[in-house]
Amino acid sequence: MKPLGGPHHFTGVTADVKTNVDFWCRVMGLRFVKNTLNYETTFRYHTYFGDEDGNPGSVVTFLEFEEAPPGVPGDGDIHRLILRVASYDSLEFWMDRFIANDVFSELLRLDPTQPQSIVFQDPEGHEVELMVSDTKDAPLVADADDIPAEHRIRGIEGARSYTTLEAMLPFAEFMGFRPDGTRLVFDGQERSGRWYFSEPTGRPSNDGRVGVWHHIAYDAGDQKELQAARDEAAGGPLPWTAVFDHYFFDSCYTMTPGGRMEMCTTGPGFLIDEAYEDLGNRLCLSPRVEPLRAKLERERPLIVNPRPRGKGAKKKAAKRGAAAAAQANGAPGEPAKVT
């Protein structure tokens, strides 16, 4: 196949969108680059976090399904998102930060044949690994004044799945990955990506549940390049869906032996409907669902950006925070009452 551009984004499932935004933006220090809706549904949020510019290769997203049950990843599922950090000192910094935020974590540093990492779960059980990566890619970093620049997240390393390298090889080699020891490496046109594996558990897949990563996406270029890549990929070992318009990018999907993979366009990106300094500060809707705005803003939880940018943004965020507290009627843990 024509080489893809490298990892674009990584997606999970949230049942608690406010906790999701607080953790991934405030605790992890990523920029909240887009507050919008899930494109396959209406009245469900889709949150996006990334580096300061929302660049492909940095973006972590979540689909909101309040009714989705919690789940433990099983065979064939992506069970871990891997993000890059610069050094072992960064792992020590993150362990201390997680302790301060009541997050349990484990340092993986005793096997000299494996990268040094720290593993933890977000508040809804999604497993994450911060890895001292051997990549030469340029770092993709978000501004966060309470996190030293040298310790900030540097972009997506890849996925870790409950499957085997051997099971993935026919698909992966067709798509342009190459085996490298016990992992697969993708030498993208702009960014590299890696796929790691854990021994199958014997548990069935829990795809679609909270705590199970939904998919990893790779960048295929513009719309014509994505369609060509999709058509070529569909002639390979696995079937692919049609290409769907997701407003910020177009996408198609397949189910691999190691979880769902997406190919998507690079853009048009998050600046299609929002100024750079305002990213994440308001609910952005595609033209298709814009007519629902009044009902959405009246009936859905109000999301407040923990790290707003732009002139006067912090004051506006404080006002929205007060409005959100009023919406919840001062009763923590209870659903908002709509009047």
Side-chain angles (χ1 to χ4, degrees):
M1 280 191 60
K2 177 184 175 183
L4 301 175
H8 187 283
H9 65 269
F10 212 105
T11 296
V13 179
T14 179
D16 183 350
V17 71
K18 289 187 174 182
T19 297
N20 172 256
V21 171
D22 178 75
F23 182 80
W24 283 92
C25 185
R26 182 186 62 80
V27 177
M28 296 302 295
L30 300 181
R31 185 173 185 185
F32 189 20
V33 292
K34 190 60 65 175
N35 172 14
T36 188
L37 295 186
N38 181 342
Y39 305 108
E40 271 67 54
T41 65
T42 59
F43 285 72
R44 300 182 192 272
Y45 282 118
H46 193 166
T47 56
Y48 290 78
F49 312 93
D51 72 353
E52 199 60 22
D53 298 323
N55 282 310
S58 73
V59 177
V60 181
T61 95
F62 289 86
L63 306 166
E64 183 202 28
F65 287 94
E66 292 177 301
E67 75 281 12
V72 178
D75 293 349
D77 291 333
I78 297 174
H79 72 92
R80 192 179 297 171
L81 159 65
I82 308 175
L83 298 170
R84 294 167 175 165
V85 294
S87 67
Y88 176 76
D89 287 344
S90 296
L91 300 181
E92 292 278 8
F93 168 84
W94 280 101
M95 176 167 262
D96 289 340
R97 185 169 178 84
F98 291 144
I99 290 169
N101 284 277
D102 300 319
V103 176
F104 174 77
S105 62
E106 294 180 276
L107 272 174
L108 306 180
R109 61 182 180 179
L110 303 183
D111 184 345
T113 69
Q114 297 296 320
Q116 293 181 326
S117 300
I118 188 169
V119 176
F120 62 97
Q121 292 183 343
D122 79 355
E124 295 184 280
H126 293 93
E127 196 168 281
V128 185
E129 181 173 347
L130 303 184
M131 178 183 288
V132 181
S133 174
D134 60 0
T135 182
K136 303 301 182 185
D137 294 358
L140 301 171
V141 178
D143 292 342
D145 56 11
D146 58 333
I147 301 175
E150 66 271 22
H151 298 323
R152 294 171 188 168
I153 305 302
R154 297 163 69 88
I156 294 170
E157 167 79 1
R160 190 180 292 275
S161 297
Y162 282 130
T163 189
T164 64
L165 176 67
E166 292 72 24
M168 283 287 289
L169 267 180
F171 165 79
E173 290 185 323
F174 181 84
M175 294 300 296
F177 290 83
R178 60 177 174 84
D180 178 34
T182 59
R183 67 182 182 179
L184 291 168
V185 172
F186 189 90
D187 300 309
Q189 293 174 305
E190 290 86 28
R191 300 171 300 282
S192 64
R194 286 75 180 276
W195 211 314
Y196 299 80
F197 305 101
S198 298
E199 284 296 316
T201 64
R203 291 190 299 267
S205 168
N206 274 303
D207 180 46
R209 297 197 174 203
V210 177
V212 181
W213 290 102
H214 192 266
H215 66 264
I216 185 170
Y218 272 72
D219 187 348
D222 62 22
Q223 289 178 321
K224 288 184 179 179
E225 289 171 322
L226 172 61
Q227 187 65 58
R230 181 265 166 207
D231 292 345
E232 187 175 357
L238 297 175
W240 286 79
T241 68
V243 173
F244 304 117
D245 178 0
H246 285 161
Y247 188 42
F248 303 112
F249 42 81
D250 295 352
S251 305
C252 59
Y253 303 85
T254 191
M255 289 298 297
T256 82
R260 187 179 287 102
M261 179 176 168
E262 171 185 342
M263 289 191 294
C264 63
T265 55
T266 309
F270 301 122
L271 297 177
I272 189 174
D273 59 355
E274 201 169 22
Y276 174 80
E277 62 271 16
D278 293 329
L279 290 176
N281 290 346
R282 67 182 184 90
L283 177 63
C284 291
L285 302 177
S286 70
R288 184 179 189 181
V289 294
E290 181 61 38
L292 297 174
R293 180 176 292 278
K295 184 175 176 66
L296 281 163
E297 292 182 343
R298 184 172 64 250
E299 297 184 5
R300 296 296 291 127
L302 181 64
I303 297 178
V304 179
N305 186 349
R307 294 182 185 272
R309 299 337 190 241
K311 186 177 181 180
K314 291 185 178 180
K315 183 180 290 186
K316 291 178 183 177
K319 288 182 179 179
R320 283 193 290 270
Q327 187 187 57
N329 299 294
E334 294 183 5
K337 297 177 183 177
V338 179
T339 57

